[in-house]
Amino acid sequence: MRCSEMFAPTLREVPAEAEVVSHQLMLRAGMMRKAASGMYTYMPLAWRVLKKIMQIIREEMDATGGQELLLPIVQPAEIWRETGRWNVYGEEMFRLKDRHGREFCLGPTHEEIITALVKGDVRSYRQLPLLLYQIQDKFRDEIRPRFGLMRGREFIMKDLYSFDRDEEGLERTYKKMYAAYTRIFRRCGLHFRPVEADSGAIGGSATHEFMVIADSGEAAIVYCLNCDYAANTEKAECLSPEHAAANLLALEEVATPGQRTIDEVAKFLHVGPERCLKTLFYAADDKVVGVIVRGDHEVNEIKLQNYLACVHLALAAPETVQALTGAPTGYAGPVGLKNVTLLADYAAAAVQNGICGANREHAHLMNVNSGRDYEPRAILDLRLITTHDPCPRCGGEVKFARGIEVGQVFKLGTKYSKALDCSFLDEKGQEKPIVMGCYGIGVSRTMAAAIEQNSDANGIVWPVPIAPFHVIVVPVSVKDSAQMDMAEQIYRTLQEAGLETAIDDRDERPGVKFKDADLIGYPVRVTVGNKAVAEGTVEVKVRRTGAEFKYALDDYVRQIKELLGNLSDS
RNA sequence: CGGGACGUAGCGCAGCUUGGUAGCGCACCUCGCUUGGGACGAGGGGGCCGCAGGUUCAAAUCCUGUCGUCCCGACCA
């Protein structure tokens, strides 16, 4: 590729709209432009990267027995109504009507339509297992698109759906896909971690997310320093603490004028926040529930929602709290509360002689004990894990990290096959629902995640396997025919050797070309200037390390290949 | 959906308070000069100031509405 012909308009300045580094650099490197909020055009350089990522995915999916197909983007409402998700998906789904007034959506995911397909054409256990996948654009009308490709409204996704005859089959498929995902992200050159996750709206049982570790990630994960446990904090289990016997003191009301928050109350009464009980009220669909956690803990709404099996969950309005407790927010407590279901977190119920709101303004209760002073409907794990918690597997120390979710593997079970009546006949002629799994990879997000993880002050530092080109040849002056002849010669030779090579034949000053090369992130740069011509050597600079080498004319191809190989391994 | 901010040339911005018909840097075009990390000189092209109303002799500037974009939030009483 000749840079003089390449459509990759680079920008010196950072567009004001870009916040995260991947977004800034892709705009600056001339890789993408915005069409609308959350919707982007992928320009040639980005498309080369995306094709490489997709190629890696295809190879690994095919190796696992997957077969690629292409499903419609526009899907009829009918099949979504059958699974109940036409309503569950809510505002996040792009909806449209055809000229006859029939309803459709732009596919946010494809479980429905693929299940409908398989239902029509799979009859026998002999046709199972079946692994079908597709790579294409998906649409989700995010509340708030942000961070460029990280959370777009149109994005490229790979989805594989598996159809097995039973749970054992699903388990085998799941393990194969998990292994394939590990290979895919490793091949992309990413630093990542699979974590246990919550299955969320899609439903199903076991699920893992593949997280690219990056501080800009939207997801918080927790991992154990001792064993290989790692989980999304939404999912991470908190163990029930050991119950220690203690002297239960008499309940006592104290005046706490103007002290509303846990911090204020704890400081005012000279106790740690772990002695306090935080009582929150949630509106769960059309009911209200009270949730008690320790003062230094936070409610995990995912766990709460899963327990309640509700569709909508949000903190109750202050007026609701006032009506239930008879006090303004800040003075709520479980003691004496009627007419509301109370749930307590393990750690909260274990607090002895604790402190909580008295359900009267400017007053709190001391020496509150679960079982004596209040009786929750249930005591369970309802909070977010902290770094003070032990690893739920081995008891070791846990740490937090942030991650970008680039892939997720799900055991769906029979949720969709039952809803859509997708079944097969086994050897005995018995009809059974197909057991499903689904496995997604955010392709465009993976590209962004790769940049989040691989950039410096000068621009992108592509991992070799997904770099748009391997090598850029930069003649210092295109007006110098000796330089140009040598550059062209090297360019042709590298191409013939199978390396994806670009030559910056633009009539620009060398500084401009070097800056652009760094920005775009070619892993290896060959500079052809007077020195190279005079010495008859090939000057090579490695983008990632900045290391420079001089190679002999009869050996540089091998050397560059070796360099690229070493870069891929690290 | 709530809060904040912003829409002026491809990009980054000034001008708006104190209305008088638009400017700077980069990019782009031409010529010269230059060529090892975003040169320099000269000349040039490009904007109905997001859009629609209103006020006014006159609106980028004031008012109203609307659309778009970005950030924070939609959570811990």
Side-chain angles (χ1 to χ4, degrees):
Chain A
M1 181 82 227
R2 296 182 175 276
C3 292
S4 60
E5 296 165 5
M6 185 188 286
F7 183 51
T10 55
L11 271 34
R12 289 193 188 203
E13 286 169 286
V14 182
E17 69 185 38
E19 189 73 11
V20 294
V21 67
S22 60
H23 191 194
Q24 293 176 348
L25 290 175
M26 273 190 277
L27 290 172
R28 284 194 56 210
M31 295 178 64
M32 69 180 213
R33 293 290 184 259
K34 182 174 66 185
S37 177
M39 298 180 181
Y40 295 90
T41 297
Y42 307 112
M43 294 155 76
L45 285 173
W47 188 237
R48 288 183 75 98
V49 174
L50 289 167
K51 283 192 287 190
K52 291 198 175 186
I53 296 172
M54 290 188 276
Q55 183 56 30
I56 291 171
I57 292 171
R58 286 197 170 98
E59 286 170 15
E60 295 297 340
M61 291 296 101
D62 291 350
T64 313
Q67 300 176 62
E68 186 171 5
L69 47 58
L70 196 61
L71 296 161
I73 287 171
V74 178
Q75 305 179 14
E78 192 181 21
I79 55 174
W80 286 84
R81 290 215 169 89
E82 283 182 45
T83 56
R85 291 211 292 178
W86 185 256
N87 294 324
V88 173
Y89 238 98
E91 298 291 300
E92 208 164 295
M93 194 149 63
F94 278 105
R95 292 156 206 258
L96 58 151
K97 286 184 182 171
D98 69 7
R99 60 171 66 192
H100 305 292
R102 289 184 295 225
E103 294 182 289
F104 294 85
C105 65
L106 299 181
T109 177
H110 289 71
E111 283 89 7
E112 275 77 2
I113 199 138
I114 198 149
T115 309
L117 172 78
V118 170
K119 170 189 176 178
D121 287 281
V122 173
R123 285 286 118 84
S124 161
Y125 71 93
R126 291 194 178 90
Q127 293 167 280
L128 301 176
L130 183 62
L131 278 64
L132 300 172
Y133 75 97
Q134 60 155 8
I135 300 176
Q136 68 167 230
D137 280 11
K138 301 210 174 194
F139 297 82
R140 291 180 194 168
D141 195 359
E142 294 284 345
I143 299 178
R144 189 172 148 215
R146 61 182 128 180
F147 304 149
L149 259 34
M150 292 295 199
R151 186 164 293 278
R153 295 194 295 170
E154 174 173 355
F155 52 97
I156 304 175
M157 194 156 169
K158 185 280 310 186
D159 255 321
L160 183 142
Y161 298 97
S162 69
F163 302 86
D164 277 282
R165 56 178 300 172
D166 52 26
E167 285 292 333
E168 293 82 76
L170 172 61
E171 178 63 29
R172 274 193 300 277
T173 303
Y174 188 86
K175 283 193 169 137
K176 279 200 291 186
M177 292 306 303
Y178 184 101
Y181 272 42
T182 302
R183 288 194 299 273
I184 287 167
F185 296 117
R186 191 174 292 150
R187 283 183 63 185
C188 286
L190 298 172
H191 175 216
F192 67 99
R193 185 141 203 167
V195 303
E196 294 180 14
D198 182 76
S199 55
I202 295 183
S205 50
T207 176
H208 287 81
E209 291 168 339
F210 285 74
M211 296 287 188
V212 167
I213 306 303
D215 290 339
S216 58
E218 291 189 271
I221 66 169
V222 60
Y223 61 95
C224 178
L225 295 177
N226 185 47
C227 71
D228 61 3
Y229 179 79
N232 192 310
T233 53
E234 290 178 345
K235 169 75 175 181
E237 301 149 48
C238 304
L239 300 178
S240 176
E242 302 287 319
H243 282 263
N247 283 339
L248 300 192
L249 305 176
L251 196 64
E252 183 187 339
E253 184 173 317
V254 291
T256 51
Q259 312 297 311
R260 303 166 64 94
T261 68
I262 294 292
D263 274 354
E264 288 165 359
V265 172
K267 206 166 279 175
F268 186 79
L269 296 175
H270 306 291
V271 297
E274 71 283 353
R275 278 276 303 282
C276 300
L277 299 176
K278 192 152 65 179
T279 308
L280 306 171
F281 295 93
Y282 279 90
D285 293 340
D286 47 6
K287 292 189 314 189
V288 175
V289 297
V291 178
I292 307 152
V293 295
R294 226 166 68 180
D296 57 334
H297 288 157
E298 293 185 3
V299 173
N300 182 329
E301 293 187 0
I302 303 286
K303 290 177 180 173
L304 179 59
Q305 188 161 14
N306 286 342
Y307 175 75
L308 295 171
C310 59
V311 177
H312 297 290
L313 183 74
L315 277 178
E319 304 80 65
T320 310
V321 177
Q322 174 91 41
L324 277 170
T325 67
T329 60
Y331 301 96
V335 181
L337 268 191
K338 306 283 186 232
N339 308 322
V340 62
T341 302
L342 286 176
L343 304 173
D345 179 69
Y346 286 129
V351 170
Q352 290 172 336
N353 301 321
I355 288 156
C356 71
N359 298 322
R360 275 197 321 120
E361 195 166 6
H362 309 309
H364 280 74
L365 296 177
M366 294 180 67
N367 304 326
V368 176
N369 290 285
S370 171
R372 184 189 72 178
D373 304 314
Y374 69 97
E375 192 68 55
R377 171 80 57 84
I379 299 174
L380 66 158
D381 177 12
L382 283 176
R383 67 182 172 90
L384 285 170
I385 195 167
T386 73
T387 48
H388 301 298
D389 284 298
C391 166
R393 288 286 175 279
C394 75
E397 187 183 348
V398 298
K399 288 256 188 230
F400 286 130
R402 298 202 70 82
I404 301 162
E405 185 196 335
V406 289
Q408 187 160 24
V409 291
F410 266 108
K411 288 185 192 172
L412 289 176
T414 55
K415 174 174 172 173
Y416 295 91
S417 51
K418 277 182 178 160
L420 293 165
D421 194 23
C422 177
S423 59
F424 69 100
L425 291 181
D426 69 10
E427 298 94 322
K428 295 171 190 154
Q430 282 191 322
E431 186 168 356
K432 290 183 171 167
I434 296 182
V435 182
M436 293 175 60
C438 79
Y439 316 84
I441 291 178
V443 177
S444 41
R445 184 186 279 183
T446 297
M447 174 169 68
I451 296 173
E452 291 295 327
Q453 215 171 62
N454 296 282
S455 74
D456 62 20
N458 292 315
I460 303 169
V461 184
W462 288 112
V464 173
I466 61 172
F469 290 91
H470 298 130
V471 184
I472 175 99
V473 179
V474 181
V476 169
S477 171
V478 296
K479 299 228 172 83
D480 184 313
S481 59
Q483 286 181 22
M484 275 312 281
D485 288 349
M486 184 172 173
E488 292 281 358
Q489 176 65 40
I490 292 170
Y491 171 58
R492 274 195 305 277
T493 305
L494 289 173
Q495 277 190 319
E496 281 159 15
L499 295 176
E500 295 172 41
T501 308
I503 180 167
D504 199 341
D505 57 339
R506 297 175 300 166
D507 184 10
E508 291 282 358
R509 296 174 63 81
V512 173
K513 299 203 247 191
F514 294 154
K515 287 289 183 187
D516 274 355
D518 286 351
L519 179 59
I520 290 168
Y522 304 92
V524 166
R525 187 182 88 200
V526 175
T527 311
V528 183
N530 282 330
K531 277 183 274 175
V533 171
E535 296 171 11
T537 55
V538 177
E539 269 182 54
V540 170
K541 183 164 186 176
V542 176
R543 175 68 179 87
R544 186 175 291 277
T545 61
E548 298 183 63
F549 304 94
K550 285 184 181 179
Y551 297 135
L553 273 168
D554 59 2
D555 197 34
Y556 69 91
V557 174
R558 187 187 67 81
Q559 300 269 25
I560 288 174
K561 281 189 168 177
E562 197 176 304
L563 260 186
L564 288 167
N566 292 341
L567 283 171
S568 304
D569 294 340
S570 57

